[in-house]
């Protein structure tokens, strides 16, 4: 009998709505050079590697009468040309135009009657570059039975390797009678199947009740003028369309900050996001008095036998962090974020970043998918933002001989969340991928600019050009020395603010607020 969907996988399908599509996406930008990498070569590459992820040729088949959870079955009409699509930008296509195309594509739910994935080959980028956008449903990529297709497409060398695609013939799909008999048999033989069925039905009833309550709340809210969801800059009711912004920075800058102030690169990334959110909210004239912290869920890799095993050598657990956006000092923000991870580090369960970066293939795509699954399970626990940060390989990867120059993740938005941020480090760079609701967050590009400014502000504190925030207490200076110190401490702060406002490597275009770092794809 075919493998059944687990309750959590089925929940992703049940919770999906037109305004909350449950799929992850990854954008990769390539320089074809003389490799001849084009749409046809991509189709050949996927055809050669898809046998390593057999679920990418399967669709979901429901059981009559809901006697058991649905099963994965081979798609008898599987058409690779349907899933691998071709698109183009008007030459020379800019990064902003690519982001707009990606936003429109990720806003569309996947067709449930077919395998739950799509890949787009995008031509027309400036300097002859091309991009590949892949999106896969959260029910498809669980990191246990299936990894992301993108993990098996890239090679460490320029010379493409032929892994010998299989000669595949779909198995005959089971009839409704066969599915029903199989469901009864499995329920009698395996108590876990019966338990999953009961759990799924109970969850379905609760979901229907919640949906009815939410509908009632909207009706009452419409009559009374009150909103059923407590609105805020990060939480509210979102629509069906998305905005996608990418910010490319240098890993060396993050390491320089870490080396001076301590902690990890992950701490620096979260401190950058904290500073970026603070600057963005200030541009919106939001009061930081009532919003001192942003509750974020940051999935982390751990070694824990009690958690669901993955094929990546570690488990993923939710870790909650209060991002101190009300703190004006960038260094104090960094120390506070670093301290929030101290307990996690001291447990000994944490997995080193270099170990994750050394996993075969391009693992960030899979880790982001698992991280999104973990974050989605925490909705309703007071979190306002989901952030996934995955270290990738620090040497170039290739697709059919074309070098991948840059990549960034595109996370799904959980229900009532207006923002999600994914971060991927690769080949000396760190890319921030922002997903936002198109109507509720029309200024997502300003947030991108604020991220670059927040990183520049942190880097400035590590350059020695201004006083650093001390750790611990200092002995009181002599009265005369204190007066001299007070006099001289005013000058560097003004110089610093001028330097930070003219940070090289930050470019804004017109009044739109768009920005990119000095490291461009």
């Amino acid at each position: 009998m075919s493998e059944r969907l687990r309750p959590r996988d089925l929940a992703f399908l049940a919770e999906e709505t037109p305004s909350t599509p449950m799929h992850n996406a990854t954008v990769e930008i390539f320089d074809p050079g003389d490799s001849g990498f084009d749409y046809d070569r991509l189709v050949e590459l996927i055809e050669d590697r898809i046998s390593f992820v057999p679920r990418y040729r399967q669709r979901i088949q429901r059981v009559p009468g809901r006697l058991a959870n649905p099963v994965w079955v081979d798609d008898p009409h599987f058409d690779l040309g349907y899933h691998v699509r071709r698109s183009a930008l008007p030459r020379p296509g800019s990064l902003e135009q690519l982001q707009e195309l990606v936003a429109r594509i990720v806003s569309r739910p996947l067709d449930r009657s077919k395998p739950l994935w799509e890949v787009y080959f995008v031509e027309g980028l400036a300097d002859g570059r091309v991009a590949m956008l892949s999106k896969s449903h959260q029910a498809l990529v669980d990191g246990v039975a299936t990894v992301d297709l993108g993990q098996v497409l890239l090679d460490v060398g320029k010379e493409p390797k032929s892994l010998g695609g299989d000669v595949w013939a779909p198995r005959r799909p089971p009839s409704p009678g066969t599915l029903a008999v199989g469901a009864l048999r499995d329920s009698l033989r395996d108590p876990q199947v019966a338990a999953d069925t009961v759990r799924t039905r109970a969850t379905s009833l609760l979901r229907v009740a919640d949906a009815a309550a939410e509908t009632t709340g909207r009706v009452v809210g419409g009559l009374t003028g009150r909103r059923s969801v407590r609105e805020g800059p990060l939480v509210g009711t979102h629509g069906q369309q998305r905005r996608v912004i990418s910010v490319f920075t240098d890993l060396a800058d993050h390491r320089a900050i870490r080396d001076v102030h301590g902690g990890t690169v992950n701490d620096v990334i979260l401190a950058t996001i904290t500073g970026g959110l603070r600057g963005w909210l200030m541009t919106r004239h939001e009061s930081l008095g009532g919003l001192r912290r942003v509750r974020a869920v940051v999935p982390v890799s751990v070694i824990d036998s009690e958690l669901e095993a993955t094929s990546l050598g570690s488990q993923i657990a939710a870790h909650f962090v209060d991002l101190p956006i009300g703190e004006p000092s960038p260094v104090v923000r960094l120390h506070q974020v670093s301290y929030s991870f101290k307990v996690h580090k001291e447990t000994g369960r944490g997995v080193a970043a270099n170990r994750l970066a050394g996993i075969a293939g391009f693992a960030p795509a899979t880790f982001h998918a698992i991280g999104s699954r973990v974050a989605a399970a925490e909705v309703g626990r007071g979190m306002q933002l989901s952030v996934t940060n995955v270290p990738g390989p620090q040497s170039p990867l290739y697709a059919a001989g074309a070098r991948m120059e840059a990549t960034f993740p595109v996370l799904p938005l959980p229900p009532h969340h207006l923002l999600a941020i994914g971060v991927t480090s690769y080949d000396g760079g760190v890319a921030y991928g922002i997903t936002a609701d198109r109507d509720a967050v029309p200024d997502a590009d300003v947030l991108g600019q604020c991220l670059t400014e927040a990183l520049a502000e942190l880097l400035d504190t590590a350059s020695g050009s201004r006083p650093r925030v001390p750790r611990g207490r200092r002995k009181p200076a002599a009265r005369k020395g204190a007066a001299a110190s007070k006099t001289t401490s005013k000058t560097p702060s003004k110089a610093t603010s001028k330097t930070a406002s003219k940070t090289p490597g930050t470019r804004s275009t017109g009044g739109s607020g768009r920005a990119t770092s000095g490291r461009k794809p």
Side-chain angles (χ1 to χ4, degrees):
M1 176 59 73
S2 302
E3 184 179 352
R4 296 194 183 280
L5 274 75
R6 295 173 300 170
R8 187 57 193 149
D9 298 331
L10 194 56
F12 286 123
L13 295 170
E15 293 168 359
E16 188 172 46
T17 67
S19 62
T20 55
M22 297 287 186
H23 53 250
N24 289 274
T26 301
V27 179
E28 298 164 351
I29 301 174
F30 296 89
D31 179 8
D34 57 359
S35 66
F37 184 54
D38 57 11
Y39 171 78
D40 293 331
R41 291 291 299 276
L42 175 60
V43 172
E44 293 175 3
L45 178 63
I46 294 177
E47 194 170 21
D48 180 63
R49 307 288 174 87
I50 197 171
S51 59
F52 293 98
V53 281
R55 185 152 294 169
Y56 273 68
R57 291 190 287 208
Q58 294 181 323
R59 61 178 177 84
I60 296 172
Q61 179 67 54
R62 296 194 176 274
V63 176
R66 296 188 177 182
L67 297 174
N69 287 352
V71 295
W72 293 100
V73 299
D74 289 347
D75 182 5
H77 306 294
F78 180 74
D79 178 9
L80 190 59
Y82 170 83
H83 293 276
V84 186
R85 306 177 180 187
R86 193 172 188 173
S87 186
L89 298 173
R91 300 178 186 273
S94 65
L95 178 61
E96 288 77 10
Q97 290 173 320
L98 175 62
Q99 292 170 166
E100 180 66 21
L101 175 62
V102 170
R104 294 183 183 278
I105 292 175
V106 299
S107 298
R108 300 195 297 259
L110 291 159
D111 185 351
R112 293 194 184 185
S113 67
K114 301 181 182 299
L116 298 173
W117 65 278
E118 295 171 353
V119 170
Y120 291 79
F121 185 83
V122 184
E123 302 169 315
L125 274 72
D127 301 322
R129 286 163 173 74
V130 297
M132 183 172 69
L133 164 64
S134 60
K135 68 177 189 178
S136 304
H137 202 281
Q138 287 181 303
L140 180 69
V141 180
D142 57 7
V144 180
T146 304
V147 299
D148 190 270
L149 176 64
Q151 187 172 342
V152 302
L153 293 183
L154 301 176
D155 299 314
V156 296
K158 188 173 182 179
E159 190 65 29
K161 297 180 180 179
S162 176
L163 301 183
D166 60 342
V167 179
W168 181 76
R171 290 176 293 180
R172 185 177 179 180
S175 65
T178 301
L179 289 170
V181 171
L184 294 173
R185 183 181 64 246
D186 291 348
S187 297
L188 293 173
R189 289 181 179 178
D190 187 353
Q192 186 62 43
V193 174
D196 287 348
T197 303
V198 172
R199 189 182 306 118
T200 299
R201 288 181 177 178
T203 304
S204 179
L205 291 174
L206 290 173
R207 192 174 295 111
V208 170
D210 290 343
E214 186 173 350
T215 301
T216 302
R218 285 199 299 266
V219 173
V220 173
L223 295 175
T224 62
R226 298 179 180 178
R227 296 183 180 272
S228 57
V229 177
R230 187 175 180 180
E231 302 284 346
L234 302 176
V235 179
T237 302
H238 54 62
Q240 299 182 20
Q241 302 303 315
R242 301 289 180 261
R243 291 185 187 274
V244 172
I245 301 295
S246 58
V247 178
F248 297 94
T249 62
D250 289 320
L251 179 59
D253 291 343
H254 293 75
R255 287 175 171 170
I257 297 167
R258 174 204 62 187
D259 293 343
V260 171
H261 296 297
T264 66
V265 170
N266 179 65
D267 298 338
V268 177
I269 288 172
L270 288 174
T272 299
I273 292 174
T274 304
L277 289 172
R278 173 182 170 82
W280 173 64
L281 291 171
M282 291 177 71
T283 65
R284 287 179 146 214
H285 304 289
E286 296 280 353
S287 173
L288 298 181
L291 187 64
R292 302 293 297 174
R293 296 177 181 274
V294 168
R295 183 76 163 168
V297 59
V298 183
V300 294
S301 294
V302 298
I303 300 298
D304 191 333
S305 58
E306 296 182 1
L307 296 176
E308 181 181 51
T310 70
S311 60
L312 301 175
S314 68
Q315 291 76 37
I316 309 297
H319 182 78
F320 288 93
V321 181
D322 289 326
L323 303 180
I325 61 170
E327 171 56 53
S329 168
V331 180
V332 173
R333 291 196 296 264
L334 174 60
H335 290 337
Q336 291 181 358
V337 168
S338 181
Y339 182 78
S340 70
F341 278 90
K342 184 178 180 181
V343 175
H344 170 65
K345 298 168 190 172
E346 291 176 348
T347 62
R349 301 190 309 159
V351 180
N354 57 0
R355 175 176 172 179
L356 299 179
I359 294 177
F362 188 63
T366 301
F367 273 116
H368 280 298
I370 303 174
S372 295
R373 288 169 60 96
V374 170
E378 304 301 327
V379 172
R381 293 187 58 185
M383 73 167 189
Q384 301 162 284
L385 178 70
S386 59
V387 179
T388 62
N389 172 30
V390 183
Q394 294 307 308
S395 56
L397 297 177
Y398 300 83
R403 175 171 176 161
M404 185 172 77
E405 292 196 337
T407 178
F408 64 92
V410 183
L411 304 186
L413 292 184
H416 305 304
H417 282 225
L418 305 180
L419 275 176
I421 300 177
V423 186
T424 301
S425 58
Y426 163 71
D427 195 21
V430 177
Y432 294 76
I434 303 170
T435 309
D437 180 77
R438 187 174 189 85
D439 296 324
V441 190
D443 56 345
D445 51 352
V446 177
L447 174 57
Q449 180 178 353
C450 290
L451 286 177
T452 62
E453 293 173 352
L455 180 62
E457 187 180 26
L458 277 168
L459 189 61
D460 182 46
T461 67
S463 65
S465 61
R466 74 182 193 184
R468 298 173 190 160
V469 175
R471 295 197 181 199
R473 296 182 177 180
R474 278 186 175 179
K475 292 182 179 180
R479 186 181 300 272
K480 193 173 185 178
S485 173
K486 187 175 181 181
T487 303
T488 57
S489 64
K490 295 180 179 179
T491 306
S493 62
K494 293 181 179 179
T496 299
S497 64
K498 290 183 179 181
T499 305
S501 67
K502 299 180 180 180
T503 306
T506 302
R507 174 179 59 84
S508 60
T509 55
S512 66
R514 284 192 175 89
T516 57
S517 76
R519 177 186 176 87
K520 294 187 66 178

